Amino acid sequence: MLNPFAITGPAIISFSGGRTSAYMLHEIIQAHEGRLPDDVQVAFANTGKEREETLRFVYECGVRWGVNIHWLEWRDAKPCFEEVGFNSASRDGEPFEALIKKKQRLPNWRERWCTGFLKVKVLTAFAASLGWNPGEYAEVIGLRYDEGMRIFRGLENAEKDGRKVLYPLSRAKVVKQQVMAFWSAQDFGLQLEPWEGNCDLCFNKGRDIRKRIIADHPASAKWWHEQEVEQNGFFDRRDRVADLAREVRENPDLLDPPIDEEEFDTECGLSCGYTPEAAE
Ligand code: SF4
């Protein structure tokens, strides 16, 4: 078998800022003897609600491994993205908030257009800026061999949408233990708990996880609560963010431990329940 990490361009490596996709990036760089071909680009789509630790980790991977990572953010403009950097990246939800204002409502588990706009459309527009049309280039996604269903769903969605996707970690049969072993041997890493990745209080995280995050980082509730007030709506039909924060204040000792520790170590948009219609 050819080395699954020897990616043939044109291709965009989608770097989520999680441990798994960082490991994939590392292996791809190694497979190319330390330097990616010009037609293999790396992109990180920042929603503005990523944790500071994620931004630092993305920056550090780029610097330590000598690879140019394009930091992209959604804009309500043509093209629909702007390239930023570690210093200029949004840190207070600005792209996400601008999108909510444009849509005049909140995304939720049924209407997950935040992913479609803030991640998928941004990467597609970035590819278009390089002269690459969907189907003519590969999206390289960090899903492991042990994330089977996500891979099937991702392939199905990509096929429907005429996109080409590659899962080198899965082809190389890499499982979670290998990724964790890799990071234990490094002298730097992502300083987050596994459930803290992607947007900090993403409504796709279970209520116990969101409560745990609010307990550990009380300031994280503010932005989400403000969006709910401003739009007179809710991200999760079961709870308002203010209610979760109140529960945490009233019963700080009754927090259940997070259930699925690896769920948020993956790109939210390119692997699981996203459907292209949701981004219309
Ligand atoms: S992490 Fe959650 S809130 Fe953020 S873009 Fe993805 S689905 Fe939306």
Side-chain angles (χ1 to χ4, degrees), residues 10-216:
I12 294 184
I13 299 170
S14 173
F15 184 18
S16 72
R19 293 178 184 88
T20 295
S21 71
Y23 172 75
M24 174 182 77
L25 174 59
H26 179 268
E27 295 305 290
I28 292 173
I29 295 169
Q30 293 302 304
H32 290 278
E33 294 171 357
R35 193 176 184 280
L36 294 181
D38 291 343
D39 62 355
V40 176
Q41 299 285 327
V42 187
F44 164 65
N46 177 38
T47 65
K49 286 306 294 166
E50 307 283 345
R51 289 276 300 272
E52 183 66 24
E53 291 87 341
T54 298
L55 304 185
R56 242 178 275 139
F57 180 59
V58 172
Y59 176 74
E60 215 172 350
C61 289
V63 171
R64 285 177 179 252
W65 298 341
V67 61
N68 183 30
I69 298 171
H70 297 274
W71 291 53
L72 310 174
E73 291 184 358
W74 181 81
R75 296 289 184 265
D76 187 11
K78 277 202 169 119
C80 69
F81 76 93
E82 186 178 339
E83 187 150 357
V84 297
F86 174 72
N87 288 326
S88 60
S90 298
R91 285 165 164 83
D92 198 21
E94 294 88 338
F96 202 162
E97 189 170 344
L99 176 60
I100 288 172
K101 284 198 162 74
K102 180 185 167 71
K103 302 283 275 183
Q104 299 186 320
R105 61 185 194 277
L106 301 175
N108 57 49
W109 63 279
R110 287 175 73 160
E111 273 201 285
R112 223 178 62 172
W113 38 259
C114 45
T115 296
F117 279 84
L118 300 171
K119 303 273 186 179
V120 181
K121 278 183 182 251
V122 161
L123 290 183
T124 307
F126 171 64
S129 75
L130 302 172
W132 302 346
N133 297 314
E136 292 172 5
Y137 67 97
E139 295 165 25
V140 187
I141 297 169
L143 283 179
R144 302 181 309 263
Y145 188 59
D146 54 332
E147 295 182 286
M149 279 316 290
R150 286 179 178 160
I151 293 166
F152 288 130
R153 279 202 297 263
L155 284 169
E156 213 174 78
N157 285 339
E159 196 178 322
K160 267 193 260 163
D161 206 21
R163 291 153 47 220
K164 199 159 101 187
V165 287
L166 294 178
Y167 300 101
L169 291 171
S170 173
R171 272 194 68 207
K173 297 197 169 28
V174 170
V175 296
K176 186 181 176 189
Q177 288 90 323
Q178 281 157 274
V179 175
M180 298 320 274
F182 170 82
W183 284 110
S184 342
Q186 306 304 308
D187 59 359
F188 79 109
L190 177 62
Q191 301 300 312
L192 285 181
E193 300 292 350
W195 57 86
E196 292 179 329
N198 285 330
C199 295
D200 53 3
L201 278 187
C202 169
F203 48 85
N204 280 326
K205 299 183 183 183
R207 79 188 301 278
D208 290 339
I209 293 181
R210 292 194 297 152
K211 280 172 67 178
R212 168 75 184 267
I213 292 170
I214 293 170
D216 292 342

